[in-house]
Amino acid sequence: QVQLVESGGGSVQAGGSLRLSCAASGPYYCMGWFRQAPGKEREMVARFWSTGVRPFVSNSVKGRFAVSQDSTKNTLYLQMNSLEPDDTATYYCAAENSTYRCSRNDHRIWGQGTQVTVSS
């Protein structure tokens, strides 16, 4: 069973930057970054495939966030620039080894979450 360990959250002022990391203990087919703010539904922010398919970034963060991988460290990153107060949420990474589940955005492996707080 792959385990995920997230890091990099924190508090910043609007316009600032943070980089989240998600270290995986084993291989995965797809991995995603999600976020959930209090009272809101969970939202997928970005998705990365190990096959080299172009990463996905949601429209809500496109142009500000970027997802990348360091395969030597088996770690996925989420670079967040020009942060806005609406980006305040708990951010989770999730992974999946099943191609079928990946195609359905159904991840079984989740990290513990890391808090990002953006003040105006």
Side-chain angles (χ1 to χ4, degrees):
Q1 177 83 355
V2 175
Q3 293 184 325
L4 306 175
V5 178
E6 302 160 9
S7 60
S11 297
V12 296
Q13 290 190 328
S17 298
L18 286 172
R19 189 178 78 159
L20 305 183
S21 300
C22 179
S25 63
Y28 55 85
Y29 184 75
C30 69
M31 187 180 285
W33 284 104
F34 297 78
R35 67 184 181 184
Q36 187 164 23
K40 294 186 178 181
E41 292 187 356
R42 187 174 65 196
E43 172 191 12
M44 171 179 274
V45 175
R47 169 81 74 82
F48 188 92
W49 285 268
S50 62
T51 58
V53 172
R54 183 176 181 177
F56 162 83
V57 177
S58 74
N59 287 334
S60 63
V61 302
K62 191 169 291 184
R64 300 187 297 119
F65 291 13
V67 62
S68 63
Q69 180 202 40
D70 184 339
S71 59
T72 64
K73 298 179 181 179
N74 215 27
T75 298
L76 192 72
Y77 301 99
L78 184 67
Q79 178 66 44
M80 305 186 295
N81 300 324
S82 301
L83 282 161
E84 303 169 353
D86 283 348
D87 295 319
T88 295
T90 301
Y91 284 70
Y92 300 89
C93 66
E96 179 55 53
N97 282 321
S98 162
T99 56
Y100 175 73
R101 287 181 178 270
C102 283
S103 69
R104 296 177 64 85
N105 193 24
D106 180 16
H107 300 76
R108 288 176 291 182
I109 305 164
W110 290 83
Q112 78 281 8
T114 185
Q115 179 66 36
V116 171
T117 303
V118 184
S119 58
S120 58

